[in-house]
Amino acid sequence: MPAHTFQTSRPLRGTIRVPGDKSISHRALMFSSLAIGESTIHGLLEGEDVLATAAAMRQLGADIERTGEGDWRVNGAGLGSLLEPKNALDMGNSGTSTRLLMGLLASHGFASTFIGDASLSGRPMKRVIDPLGQMGASFEASTGGTLPLMMRGASPAVPITYRLPVASAQVKSAVLLAGLNTPGITRVIEPVETRDHTERMLTGFGATLEIGEHNGERLIAIHGEAELKPQNVIVPGDPSSAAFFMVAALLVPGSDIVIENVGMNRTRAGIVSALRQMGGSIEEVNAREVGGEPVADLHVKHSPLQGVDIDPAIVPSMVDEFPVLFVAAALAQGTTRTTGLDELRVKESDRIAAMAAALNLAGADVEEHEDGLTIQGTGGEPLKGTPKNALVKTSLDHRIAMSMAVAGLVSRDGVSVDDITPIATSFPTFMNLLEGAAA
């Protein structure tokens, strides 16, 4: 396991580009594989999670080929014409791949087995098993509804109306994808709006969706037995990856960077609003729309930050960015309070506990609650850093590793993390970009 120490940084300068959006990359591969004909994808994130999706779609009959850096060609198998996989579908560390593929295969009449790494095998799948079971799929899961898991899809599946018990874009997407190959209309009601990449991209590929309201909640209806048409997909930069550089530039004195081509979908870009609320200087330049998704270049300059109370309503639009927001809070002036973060307890790790332990080890003042953290900031003073021979436990979680890398840039003695290999699951170029920006 490669441990690594992140040291105090010189100002971050220049223009950088973060990898393609992970959520959109997964969906681009899946939906291209369901269209009949040849699609192209530009800017695909080539991290391990997305490559697990590509490998699974190949097993299901799609012809997928990498033609250059971030450039891929997909000849789809066609919706309803997927092949029964000969081997178990190995999802690696990717919860998104697993939940979306379970949805997709729930309305195909064959059996599939899903396996994953130790971290993924501890994550709850019951939240998708329940609605997909109502549609007719059957499951044999490990104790606690986790992987390894065997599923038999229903053909034909039964359309349902499903109200999400927790705000989850993955559960919503799983039900909508099951509805794609189900006769009739499948409906999902979400009490809180979550990221809407599935709805935008399915519409782009030619599916019929209607979005309306039901008793003040968002209702999404998808018409089954869709015929998807091949597309040329351009993937915007991942706001979750950009967040690490936004926070680093806000915290490291003298920094002034431009992050190009960042997806600014309002169901995803909550981190920008939260950092601006803290006083961060983040300016959107050259705002435009690419492939149905809003995109902008972000000009970020070092700024003194203020502690704030983060509105829990913003959580779904930045659920993956809280670990790095906690780092920003640790160096702000005053107190930052976060609540409503229960979902963070069931990510790649328990991110509330992991970040509380990591930041306290690095010298921050952090108090853990059931659904969030209260952080007393240093007012811009560097963190002390991790004690000699002590390592931050990343728990195989890429976002913990990258968040604590950012903390190391603003520490006196550096921050040592136990393992940086998980970073490759979502951001393979992170280390090189960080070195380049600080050079």
Side-chain angles (χ1 to χ4, degrees):
M1 285 200 309
H4 190 86
T5 301
F6 293 90
Q7 302 283 4
T8 313
S9 172
R10 290 198 286 262
L12 306 185
R13 293 284 167 84
T15 298
I16 64 166
R17 252 188 134 85
V18 297
D21 185 284
K22 189 160 73 146
S23 300
I24 294 175
S25 294
H26 283 303
R27 289 161 173 81
L29 284 169
M30 287 184 193
F31 303 167
S32 299
S33 298
L34 299 176
I36 293 178
E38 183 170 297
S39 295
T40 55
I41 307 170
H42 305 283
L44 187 87
L45 168 65
E46 294 175 344
E48 289 163 7
D49 283 9
V50 174
L51 299 181
T53 294
M57 297 318 296
R58 283 194 187 103
Q59 274 216 61
L60 296 166
D63 173 17
I64 300 176
E65 179 190 16
R66 181 179 190 263
T67 56
E69 193 176 326
D71 290 344
W72 292 64
R73 185 193 56 71
V74 181
N75 268 303
L79 185 65
S81 306
L82 299 180
L83 307 176
E84 179 158 0
K86 291 190 171 64
N87 305 307
L89 298 171
D90 187 349
M91 301 285 100
N93 185 242
S94 179
T96 305
S97 307
T98 311
R99 293 186 180 122
L100 266 56
L101 270 174
M102 283 169 66
L104 183 55
L105 298 183
S107 51
H108 287 75
F110 52 71
S112 340
T113 301
F114 291 85
I115 59 173
D117 70 7
S119 160
L120 181 62
S121 299
R123 296 181 67 182
M125 295 299 153
K126 191 170 180 325
R127 51 177 62 179
V128 285
I129 290 173
D130 289 348
L132 299 178
Q134 291 175 31
M135 296 180 77
S138 59
F139 298 87
E140 287 171 33
S142 303
T143 316
T146 57
L147 303 192
L149 173 151
M150 202 273 284
M151 169 179 129
R152 180 167 286 285
S155 183
V158 183
I160 60 170
T161 296
Y162 188 71
R163 185 180 183 278
L164 294 176
V166 286
S168 166
Q170 291 179 5
V171 180
K172 167 179 72 175
S173 298
V175 177
L176 293 175
L177 290 185
L180 264 184
N181 197 42
T182 299
I185 299 178
T186 299
R187 297 177 176 86
V188 179
I189 298 166
E190 52 178 5
V192 180
E193 186 178 17
T194 63
R195 56 181 69 173
D196 63 356
H197 305 304
T198 297
E199 297 95 302
R200 286 173 184 258
M201 196 180 280
L202 279 178
T203 303
F205 271 88
T208 304
L209 281 89
E210 285 139 11
I211 295 169
E213 283 214 344
H214 175 78
N215 296 337
E217 298 180 325
R218 191 164 179 265
L219 172 74
I220 307 120
I222 187 162
H223 292 245
E225 299 174 302
E227 193 172 307
L228 302 187
K229 306 201 169 37
Q231 299 297 315
N232 173 21
V233 182
I234 298 170
V235 181
D238 196 322
S240 300
S241 297
F244 300 106
F245 284 88
M246 284 184 232
V247 171
L250 292 173
L251 295 182
V252 176
S255 295
D256 186 338
I257 63 169
V258 173
I259 312 171
E260 290 183 328
N261 191 46
V262 180
M264 293 300 290
N265 182 318
R266 65 183 179 79
T267 65
R268 277 294 295 292
I271 183 68
V272 176
S273 314
L275 292 171
R276 282 180 178 152
Q277 188 192 345
M278 296 173 78
S281 169
I282 305 174
E283 186 191 349
E284 285 171 52
V285 185
N286 186 18
R288 55 206 186 270
E289 192 161 288
V290 176
E293 291 275 349
V295 169
D297 304 334
L298 299 180
H299 183 197
V300 188
K301 291 192 283 204
H302 169 66
S303 320
L305 301 181
Q306 293 291 328
V308 293
D309 290 355
I310 300 288
D311 181 353
I314 202 174
V315 172
S317 68
M318 57 173 289
V319 69
D320 287 327
E321 287 72 75
F322 275 97
V324 79
L325 180 87
F326 296 150
V327 176
L331 276 98
Q333 178 80 44
T335 308
T336 298
R337 294 178 192 83
T338 59
T339 52
L341 305 185
D342 317 63
E343 180 71 9
L344 267 65
R345 297 245 182 229
V346 292
K347 287 295 200 177
E348 282 83 337
S349 66
D350 175 342
R351 286 182 175 160
I352 295 178
M355 283 304 295
L359 284 169
N360 280 324
L361 186 66
D365 180 353
V366 180
E367 192 186 331
E368 181 182 344
H369 312 289
E370 190 49 45
D371 68 340
L373 299 179
T374 297
I375 301 174
Q376 307 290 344
T378 64
E381 287 300 308
L383 296 172
K384 183 167 185 327
T386 46
K388 200 167 182 226
N389 301 329
L391 295 174
V392 164
K393 281 196 176 67
T394 55
S395 307
L396 295 175
D397 189 327
H398 53 130
R399 298 206 195 277
I400 305 291
M402 289 186 279
S403 299
M404 293 313 294
V406 173
L409 306 182
V410 283
S411 66
R412 284 202 297 277
D413 302 336
V415 168
S416 301
V417 301
D418 63 0
D419 191 1
I420 57 168
T421 44
I423 291 173
T425 63
S426 70
F427 200 160
T429 55
F430 176 78
M431 300 292 285
N432 292 343
L433 275 181
L434 197 58
E435 279 166 26

